[in-house]
Amino acid sequence: MARFDLPEVDAFTRPYWDAAGEGRLLLRRCRAEGCGAAHHYPREFCPYCWSEDVVWEPATGRATLYTWSVVHRNDLPPFGDRVPYVAAVVDLAEGPRMMTEITDCPEAGLRIGMPLVVHFRREGSQGSRGSRGSRGSRGSEGSRGSRGSRGSQGSQGSQGSVGGEEGEARDEGGGIAVPVFRPA
């Protein structure tokens, strides 16, 4: 069955998805004189000054909730198995906004401006829907939250990283690590 929720990893985005597989969130930053803006989603040019002098840099993995919507019906696979889930836009600490999903928080607990931290959910491989807690998060063994975020591994340090083994964008079973957020 076709997956509508998984990205196509290409040569340009491979560093982003490889870092996600290692539990790190990357952004693009412009190095043009007088600009220096960070942006997300990854592009080969700066969306503010159009410079092509942009580089990957690690994000802290911290954000605040800008807006959200609770999705109760979605007929595209595999979303129908996840409902209800929280689709959201977050303000990353570095400035850019990012579309994502909020996990490990009941709908009643959501608040505009609430602090969040990234963690990564492994998707697409047989039987793997686990998430890994980000460094600086409160991840704990066996925590439960929104559907699709089943248990996280321990937390350590900063830079939006997670504990656990390193890996590439897609594991041998075809999985990919997707950044999602939860309360800090």
Side-chain angles (χ1 to χ4, degrees), residues 59-129:
T60 62
R62 301 206 178 280
T64 57
L65 184 58
Y66 176 73
T67 191
W68 78 89
S69 179
V70 178
V71 179
H72 293 278
R73 182 175 176 145
N74 190 331
D75 295 330
L76 292 175
F79 298 108
D81 293 336
R82 294 185 189 165
V83 294
Y85 62 90
V86 178
V89 176
V90 300
D91 287 325
L92 298 173
E94 294 78 9
R97 285 196 172 136
M98 178 179 178
M99 292 182 68
T100 188
E101 181 180 344
I102 305 298
T103 64
D104 303 315
C105 185
E107 181 180 353
L110 296 169
R111 299 286 180 265
I112 297 297
M114 71 186 289
L116 302 168
V117 66
V118 73
H119 65 115
F120 296 83
R121 182 175 58 217
R122 183 65 66 177
E123 287 287 347
S125 58
Q126 296 275 329
S128 66
R129 297 249 348 220

Side-chain angles (χ1 to χ4, degrees), residues 19-33:
E22 297 168 359
R24 297 180 298 117
L25 180 63
L26 294 183
L27 299 175
R28 299 284 281 173
R29 183 167 302 273
C30 181
R31 296 192 311 180
E33 188 174 329

Side-chain angles (χ1 to χ4, degrees), residues 152-171:
S152 62
Q153 294 176 336
S155 58
Q156 331 157 1
S158 64
Q159 296 292 338
S161 273
V162 297
E165 71 285 349
E166 293 185 3
E168 292 184 358
R170 290 187 183 269
D171 63 21

